[in-house]
Structure formats: structure tokens, C-alpha cells
Amino acid sequence: MKKFFFIPFTLAAGLLTAQGALTDQLVGYYDFEETGSAGIANKVSGATAHSGTYIGTPANGAGSGFAGDAAFAGTNANVATDPTDNTTNRPAFVGRTLNLVKGTATPADGGQFTVTTLTSRGTGLGPVGAEFGTLGTQFAISAWYYLAPDPDNGSLSTDAQRRFVFESVLDGASTTQVYDISWGTSGANATYAPYVGQVLGSMTGVAADGWHHVVHSFSTEGANTRLTVHVDGVQVSTLTAPTANVDFRGINFGTNRFGNARVFDGMIDEVGVWNRSLSPAEVTELFQRGTNRISIVQPVLLVSLAADPSAGGTVSGSGVHASGSVVPIAATPNRGYVFSAWSGDFAGRPASFDLTVSSAVNAVALFGPDNTDSDGDGLSNFLEVTVHLTDPDLADTDGDLIPDGVEVNVTATSPTVSDETLVSFIRNNLGAGNAGIIEMSPLRIDRNAGTGEITLSLGLWGSADGASFEQIQLGAPGAGITPADGGWNLTFPAPSNSVNSYILKAAR
């Protein structure tokens, strides 16, 4: 099982760069698929320069393979004396990887290498007048790395504890070795420090023992150079320095500017160097390629999926994929919705299927309201989720013994706010055996033709037990009729003092 640490995201339509655009002005590409010096040779198509050279003697890492997975049977320079100096039990990345090692006695053990022809001269004082180096003043570096410190690296020295993915060398005419560009840990922890022109940016914590992606993109703003740092597809830092200070004569990979100290302890793969800055879309594509085990130079196709409405459900399978790869596609409705259909390139397809990628794809999953009533409360699942905010699988969301549909359509109470107190009162006072009954006879209207007077006649019967009724005598002592608020009130003795509540029925 390959182990990653990254921030999940969805690739939006149009975010993939045009086919081939990612390799435009790619001047250095190192995939570490071969052994020996061939493993650090520049693999840009047609390249005649910028191949790497191992640092130190012998050329560490030139064993039978670079792979960092369990199938790797090769050796490194220190296994004989220090068997823990390897990462053979860690998952590899795209094919084989550069496997660097770091021993206790000397921190300069494993296959770090340098590319002295990758240069930037911010002052424009190169070998040819006004020449700004092979990278110019706007360039970018991308790399995947897996920090896996060996347990024997317990030294407290700075060289033993710090580990670098890359750093520049040989600054300016003075040949002072400084950190014009840099990405390495700041100490024993996994906090990485970016530099441009020796200016330190915001440090970023990146967990060890997992594959991570870093991109440093350099662009000019007037007399300054701006470094934008992305880690695992997310921008984490920006900083600026005078362009004249970004003046280096090579880049070391897997170690710091000195080459024989602060060696990276783990694996590095898919290193790319451009003599231009990279756009955010290109950084995203690089990250997508890596998470899908697709190399920088391999042709890819974009599968762009969306949900409509976005609240209706989710889609999976979006991203960049190699031609011929099989990608599981799925449209999954959220509660209250159902999958209706695909539009676009997937029209007529089922909600879930396996896609063999042969061309770019753009499709939208359409979701509609779920008009079924799963819990039988009289409300559709769609209305429960989107309007009433109730649980479509629970007839009484607030647990007050009044079904959600009754609260919405009959009692006009909230189905999400419990009316348990009211329900308890009704049950205790108006339930069977707890309430008497007052029944009314039909109201009769009589008119005296001679006088024109209107007479309203109403009869009342009462019962304490709901079974035995007696007529209520409105002319008896204690009874009376009084005007009240445009109407009138009837007052009479209760049929029984043993009952606290009575239910009024409209007709006898």
C-alpha cells in the first residue's frame, strides 16, 4: 500500500494545461529509472546538457537499482557496515526512485548529486555579456520526496539532523557557497525552510515517512525575484529578494550547498527544472500527476467531472490520467437527492462504471429531488433535507412523539424543536381517563316574525367519565351568560370536581 500525505482537492474543468505545455521549457528532468550515472542523466527529450554528477567517491547509489520498495535487491555504499542505511522497506513512487542514505559516522553517505550547468546569474554577468545563466531569472523546480530517517541517526550535530532536498551552490564571482535557493529541514524535526537570495521564508511542517511534493517557482517583479512555494498542491509561502542576489552556479540534489553534509535521508523522485516560472494550474497538474503515479513527461488526459446541483451529490474519478488507464467513475447522491443522469461525454451511462481513458472527458452528473418518503411521516426525503432540515429516515426527528409531517402540516410546530413538555401535559391531562367531555347540541336560530327578534338556542351536556352525560342547566345557580369581546361567555359548574380538564365537542 503506497503511503501519501496530501490535501485532497477536485480538479476543475480547464485547469489542466494544454497537452505538452507542461514540458515547455523543461530543461532538466531526472526520473532515476536507471542505475549508475544513467540514473541521474537528464531525461528531457533531445537534451545534451544538465546531466547530474555524483558527489563524493565512490559514486554512491550506483548499485543494481534505485528502487525504494520491498522488491529492491540492490546495495548502497554503507549497507555492509551499516545495514540500517537504506529505505528498501518504503514504497517507491513513479517506477524507481533515488534512494539516499545517511550514516552515523559521516552524514555524507548516500547518492546525492549535483548539476553544475543549472545556473542563474541575477547580475547578468555570465561568461557571455549580459547572460543570466541557463535558467535565467525566472525558473522553477519540482520534486517528490520521502523523508525516512534511519533510527541510528541519533547524532545531535546539525549536519546529522538537517536534510536537504535541494540547494544552490557557488554564488557569484566570489564562489562563496550560499543558499540562493533551498529546501531542507531546519533541524531534527520535519519543518522545511525555503530561501531565495539567502532570504528565509515561512517554514512549513511536512510529516516524515510519506511522499510529498514541493514546487519552488521564481518570477521577477521589477528588481526583485519572488519565490512561491507549493507543498502537496497548496501554496504555503511567498517571499522576495533582490534579483541580483540570486546568483548561483549549480544545484545540488539530496544535499545542501556543501555537497558532503546535511544529506537527505530517504528518497527523491520526479525532479523537474524549468527555465520559466510555473502557473498555479501547472503546479496542480504536477501534483495530480504524482498522486496518480504519472511522470512529468508522460502524456495525460483530463477527466473533468462536476455535480449539478453541487448540493445534490458528489462525483469521483476527476483528474489527470494516463491514456489507457482504467478509472472508476461514480456519481453518488446526497441524502434527499437521487441520481438522474449524466450529461456531456457520459450521457446514457449509469451512475457508476469503469472508464478506460482514451480521450479527454467533460461530464456533469445531474441530481434531482428524492420524492419518496422513507420514514412514512408524510414528507418527501427531498423536503425533509432541503426545507425542513429533518431526518428523512426518522419519522419524529425531534423525538417529541409528534411525527414530522404532522408538525409541518397540522400543528404548525417545528419538527426540529421538541414539544415534549406540551405533549406530556396533553397526555397527562387530556388523555383517556384524565379528561371529561362537554358536548354541544347543534346551534338553532329562531326568528319571531312579529317582532323580528332572533333567538339562539344551545344545549350543553357534560360528562366526567365520557360515558354518562347530564344536561347542563344554564339557568341553575352559578350559571350565567355575559358579553365578552364582541361575543358572550357561558359560565356553569363543572360536571365533576374530580376532573381537571374537559374536551369540548362541537355537536352531540
Side-chain angles (χ1 to χ4, degrees):
M1 180 66 183
K2 293 178 172 62
K3 187 173 183 180
F4 280 87
F5 295 89
F6 59 87
I7 307 299
F9 63 92
T10 299
L11 190 63
L15 196 56
L16 179 69
T17 53
Q19 186 66 46
L22 189 61
T23 57
D24 289 348
Q25 296 177 257
L26 177 67
V27 296
Y29 171 56
Y30 311 93
D31 61 5
F32 314 110
E33 293 301 306
E34 299 175 79
T35 60
S37 296
I40 55 174
N42 185 5
K43 297 300 171 57
V44 171
S45 179
T48 58
H50 307 316
S51 287
T53 302
Y54 287 113
I55 298 173
T57 303
N60 298 325
S64 61
F66 289 160
D69 61 14
F72 174 47
T75 61
N76 60 58
N78 294 81
V79 164
T81 58
D82 192 353
T84 63
D85 279 347
N86 63 74
T87 49
T88 58
N89 63 332
R90 267 74 171 193
F93 197 56
V94 179
R96 293 176 171 180
T97 66
L98 177 64
N99 190 347
L100 297 117
V101 293
K102 187 173 193 172
T104 302
T106 170
D109 291 340
Q112 68 272 28
F113 68 98
T114 187
V115 184
T116 58
T117 54
L118 293 174
T119 62
S120 177
R121 295 181 170 88
T123 58
L125 300 177
V128 179
E131 191 263 310
F132 284 88
T134 58
L135 297 180
T137 56
Q138 301 192 94
F139 55 95
I141 303 173
S142 170
W144 283 87
Y145 60 95
Y146 187 121
L147 179 61
D150 291 321
D152 66 340
N153 293 164
S155 171
L156 297 179
S157 73
T158 300
D159 286 348
Q161 292 188 358
R162 299 189 67 182
R163 307 165 181 98
F164 280 72
V165 180
F166 58 81
E167 191 167 73
S168 57
V169 297
L170 301 176
D171 176 43
S174 67
T175 69
T176 304
Q177 293 172 306
V178 293
Y179 32 94
D180 286 347
I181 62 173
S182 179
W183 185 247
T185 62
S186 60
N189 55 26
T191 300
Y192 288 76
Y195 283 87
V196 58
Q198 304 177 57
V199 174
L200 172 65
S202 299
M203 291 188 287
T204 303
V206 184
D209 209 28
W211 280 105
H212 295 281
H213 181 228
V214 63
V215 173
H216 283 202
S217 185
F218 301 84
S219 58
T220 54
E221 297 178 351
N224 292 324
T225 291
R226 174 174 292 277
L227 165 61
T228 303
V229 181
H230 286 79
V231 174
D232 294 338
V234 178
Q235 181 178 314
V236 297
S237 178
T238 62
L239 60 150
T240 60
T243 299
N245 292 351
V246 184
D247 192 3
F248 58 86
R249 308 298 176 84
I251 303 175
N252 287 347
F253 294 93
T255 183
N256 75 337
R257 58 192 180 276
F258 298 110
N260 60 356
R262 304 179 185 180
V263 175
F264 193 75
D265 199 355
M267 293 177 286
I268 297 176
D269 203 4
E270 286 297 298
V271 173
V273 182
W274 292 258
N275 59 2
R276 63 178 178 88
S277 56
L278 294 177
S279 69
E282 290 174 314
V283 173
T284 299
E285 181 182 342
L286 285 167
F287 183 58
Q288 276 263 318
R289 284 173 175 266
T291 56
N292 287 282
R293 297 297 197 272
I294 300 172
S295 73
I296 291 175
V297 298
Q298 184 176 354
V300 294
L301 298 167
L302 172 63
V303 175
S304 179
L305 306 178
D308 183 23
S310 58
T314 59
V315 292
S316 60
S318 293
V320 291
H321 303 284
S323 180
S325 61
V326 177
V327 180
I329 303 295
T332 306
N334 290 332
R335 298 179 81 190
Y337 292 85
V338 293
F339 171 76
S340 299
W342 287 101
S343 67
D345 295 330
F346 288 165
R349 295 271 198 143
S352 300
F353 61 94
D354 288 337
L355 172 70
T356 300
V357 180
S358 59
S359 62
V361 170
N362 197 321
V364 177
L366 305 177
F367 298 96
D370 180 2
N371 292 318
T372 62
D373 182 5
S374 298
D375 55 11
D377 61 1
L379 301 175
S380 72
N381 294 343
F382 176 74
L383 290 178
E384 291 217 53
V385 170
T386 63
V387 177
H388 305 299
L389 307 181
T390 50
D391 188 337
D393 296 317
L394 190 63
D396 181 13
T397 297
D398 56 14
D400 61 4
L401 302 180
I402 308 176
D404 295 339
V406 173
E407 294 213 57
V408 170
N409 298 319
V410 179
T411 64
T413 52
S414 171
T416 59
V417 178
S418 176
D419 296 298
E420 184 178 359
T421 301
L422 174 61
V423 171
S424 178
F425 173 84
I426 293 173
R427 289 167 62 91
N428 293 333
N429 293 279
L430 301 181
N434 296 322
I437 297 175
I438 303 296
E439 290 187 346
M440 298 185 299
S441 65
L443 184 66
R444 189 177 74 249
I445 302 177
D446 296 314
R447 179 179 181 275
N448 187 314
T451 65
E453 292 179 335
I454 298 294
T455 301
L456 300 179
S457 299
L458 175 67
L460 298 177
W461 281 262
S463 172
D465 57 9
S468 176
F469 286 84
E470 294 182 0
Q471 188 170 12
I472 296 173
Q473 303 300 320
L474 296 179
I481 301 176
T482 57
D485 298 328
W488 35 268
N489 289 337
L490 296 180
T491 303
F492 51 86
S496 172
N497 288 331
S498 64
V499 178
N500 294 324
S501 303
Y502 285 85
I503 300 172
L504 179 64
K505 292 190 175 181
R508 180 168 170 75

